[in-house]
Amino acid sequence: MHTFSRAMSYAFITPRPPVRASYPPLLPVYPPPDSLLAKPKPPASRTFPNPRYAVSTHLVPAAYLRSTPPAPPPPPAVGLNATKEERRAANEARVEWVRAQARGSRGRYERILWSSVNRYVRRDVGEGAGCTLLLAHANGFPKETWEPALLDLLATGAVVDEIWAWEATHHGASFVLNAEAGTPLAACDWSDDARDVLNFLLHFLPSSIAGPEELPVHLHRVAPTESALRKVRGFSERTLFAAGHSFGGCCSAWAAITYPRLFSAIMLIDPVMMRYDTPTVERPSLAGGAISRRDSWPSREAAHASFAANPFFASWDPRVLAEYVAHGLVSDPNGGVRLAMPPLQEALAFEGTSTSGPVWDMLPTLDPRISLRWVVPGRDNEGAIGPPGATRERVWLRPTNSSNVRIKDAGHLIVQQAPREIAREIATMLNGVPPAKL
């Protein structure tokens, strides 16, 4: 297994002024009325390798208002017997469909969506002090790919009473829930995902940490008075830390900018947030790459072997790849297995990257009380998210109470490649220990 180490941190630079002076506020954050909810079937129970913790999966409704409407049906995919030219033409048509949805107007649309969240709680939680960790994943990865980092975190002896791994409505088990309910595809505006994080924290995260068997699968909504107090005072019986990777880092930062009293510290793991004036680079798009990827295999074993032989997965920790195979694939009605998050949905989420612009400009306003830790790639020749130098500028957008570290030999997929190093950084955040000088 590859050994990673810290590299030098980025030295301070003064970031450029914001592109825009102000932004409209996020849409209001509240769940659908209970009377409209047809609750999905409960997920299967699971076990967790660390015997001191219990794992359970819970379902919560997402924010009721959405920025984007349901999309029209996409162009059809071609069959297995299609020629190379037919496949290329079909993929191009689907990429253009994805881009058309991203260019569409924004508004206020009432839609019912669900999020699946995993809870990891100490079995002796009565002795805890309320330390809570929220995890937000990168685009294309189910929430369970955090678990190797979690196991490594708990092996450090870090004191954390409860961990919640949030999953976006368009990923993993959450996507499956919504697809089974007949929910049509829609453009991904990342502001909606940030609001889904807030919807969970404001309206569904229980006020105190209960025992392993004491929470229902469908989490109850907390009292409206409690939600209102959280906005201005935070949690009365919890101290909340958050770690967000890539897409999840953008969503976590946006949530903390909007309601900072909820958060004590945030770790942003190479988050995707780009200035509005970022120049367009002529290269194959991430959306196009997602659409053209293979999405079905005759078995999980065949899928695992295919992934292991792919250079994209070669640098991953084998434990993370095993979790991806276990939770990123579902049974295919036609036989075999397929991706839980279809390529078209992954492409829609990639195309939503452009909606991250406000976070770049607003991050300097993040409450200085919140400790901000950046974990970014240290691999030689690793391209930045944005033009050259963007990563260094990004990590100093909010200099107060902020620090950064580069993980040597790791690329953008740090959680997948270096879970032990991510665990070490999270443990430092939870313990409130100033980062070691590098």
Side-chain angles (χ1 to χ4, degrees), residues 139 272 338 408:
N139 183 32
V272 176
R338 58 178 173 81
K408 186 174 177 59

Side-chain angles (χ1 to χ4, degrees), residues 68-310:
T68 61
V78 296
L80 295 176
N81 296 325
T83 66
K84 184 177 180 180
E85 181 61 27
E86 290 171 335
R87 185 171 289 104
R88 183 193 62 79
N91 287 345
E92 287 181 354
R94 288 159 76 83
V95 168
E96 181 50 40
W97 178 88
V98 166
R99 290 173 174 166
Q101 309 319 307
R103 293 191 298 264
S105 61
R106 298 298 190 261
R108 299 162 64 102
Y109 304 93
E110 295 179 344
R111 296 169 62 209
I112 295 176
L113 296 167
W114 291 88
S115 283
S116 173
V117 293
N118 281 352
R119 179 196 189 217
Y120 309 84
V121 62
R122 282 175 51 181
R123 294 188 181 277
D124 57 347
V125 70
E127 301 176 11
C131 177
T132 306
L133 175 62
L134 176 73
L135 301 171
H137 57 81
N139 183 32
F141 301 100
K143 58 189 179 299
E144 288 80 10
T145 51
W146 279 104
E147 289 194 3
L150 288 187
L151 290 168
D152 291 340
L153 169 67
L154 300 177
T156 69
V159 179
V160 55
D161 301 309
E162 188 176 58
I163 302 161
W164 290 89
W166 168 83
E167 189 168 70
T169 59
H170 39 74
H171 276 68
S174 299
F175 177 86
V176 173
L177 286 174
N178 294 310
E180 288 177 346
T183 304
L185 298 174
C188 287
D189 190 304
W190 291 10
S191 68
D192 287 344
D193 299 294
R195 291 168 53 250
D196 288 343
V197 171
L198 289 171
N199 186 60
F200 170 64
L201 295 177
L202 290 172
H203 301 300
F204 291 95
L205 183 62
S207 300
S208 58
I209 301 177
E213 311 298 333
E214 297 179 27
L215 290 185
V217 170
H218 297 90
L219 294 180
H220 299 312
R221 182 175 178 176
V222 303
T225 51
E226 170 79 6
S227 295
L229 285 173
R230 290 181 181 183
K231 293 179 181 180
V232 295
R233 297 182 184 178
F235 298 98
S236 60
E237 298 183 45
R238 294 179 180 273
T239 301
L240 183 71
F241 302 84
H245 179 206
S246 190
F247 153 80
C250 178
C251 298
S252 301
W254 210 337
I257 291 166
T258 307
Y259 289 117
R261 298 304 301 178
L262 297 172
F263 298 85
S264 176
I266 300 178
M267 178 176 295
L268 301 179
I269 305 168
D270 207 25
V272 176
M273 50 184 74
M274 303 174 67
R275 284 175 62 98
Y276 271 116
D277 60 356
T278 298
T280 300
V281 179
E282 291 298 328
R283 62 184 181 187
S285 71
L286 292 172
I291 285 176
S292 63
R293 69 180 297 196
R294 182 177 178 178
D295 65 350
S296 63
W297 296 265
S299 67
R300 288 186 191 274
E301 293 75 18
H304 198 161
S306 175
F307 294 145
N310 188 322

